[in-house]
Amino acid sequence: MAQFPYPTETINRQFLWDVFQRVDKDRSGYISADELQMALSNGTWTPFNPETVRLMIGMFDKQNRGSINFEDFGALWKYVNDWQACFRSFDRDNSGNIDCNELKAALTTFGYRLSDTLVQTMLRKFDRFGKGTILFDDFIQCCITLHTLTSAFRQFDQDQDGIITIHYEQFLSMVFSLKI
């Protein structure tokens, strides 16, 4: 399975510190999900998806505080920038969003072989505005969710044939333990 997103150049530490201080509105030394959401842009002048922000904070919050410190922020900043480069590479018509064909191309590049029906289902799931497209922040959420679910599935798919047999409680335990 291919990894995503595509890497970008390293960020100047002083620049990152300046950004961190501007985002840390309460001067706590930590950035909360609310502070991060206000600082992020999905390119449409609408607020960044709070669910995507929550997922990202959870991924980078090494201390399980519900917020991130400067080091965590640096990793998250790079992660978002890498996702932005990835998103732009699949937004072939430069519309600022990803349609069904672009989503299928992205997922195929990442190594997923999904039916058109499932890709359409995913598009509907992550299309917050019902326009048949997904925005940058929703694209991140879609890809993180798919990756997380796939990883959980693979724990039970010992022979890697794409088929698992589990009990209902195993399924519930698997799903409820996921950070999605």
Side-chain angles (χ1 to χ4, degrees), residues 7 12 61 66 71 74 84 87-88 101 110 115-116 131 147:
N12 176 299
D61 175 16
E71 295 305 318
Q84 192 170 49
F87 180 85
R88 286 181 179 149
N101 291 330
F110 299 152
S115 69
D116 289 345
K131 295 183 176 181
H147 177 75

Side-chain angles (χ1 to χ4, degrees), residues 153 156-157 164-172 174:
F153 183 91
F156 291 96
D157 188 11
I164 62 173
T165 302
I166 59 175
H167 298 282
Y168 181 60
E169 285 199 20
Q170 285 176 300
F171 169 75
L172 291 177
M174 176 181 71

Side-chain angles (χ1 to χ4, degrees), residues 15-79:
F15 168 79
L16 205 55
W17 177 247
D18 293 342
V19 173
F20 181 85
Q21 289 185 308
R22 282 195 305 270
V23 174
D24 181 18
K25 297 287 186 198
D26 65 1
R27 300 289 181 244
S28 66
Y30 290 87
I31 294 176
S32 68
D34 289 341
E35 289 171 324
L36 184 60
Q37 183 187 18
M38 288 188 289
L40 292 173
S41 170
N42 66 13
T44 64
W45 303 105
T46 59
F48 215 79
N49 184 333
E51 190 59 27
T52 305
V53 174
R54 184 190 65 78
L55 276 173
M56 292 190 308
I57 289 280
M59 290 172 64
F60 290 93
D61 175 16
K62 303 281 189 285
Q63 300 170 339
N64 285 330
R65 295 175 47 112
S67 58
I68 54 174
N69 64 22
F70 176 66
E71 295 305 318
D72 299 337
F73 178 73
L76 186 142
W77 181 272
K78 181 178 181 336
Y79 185 76

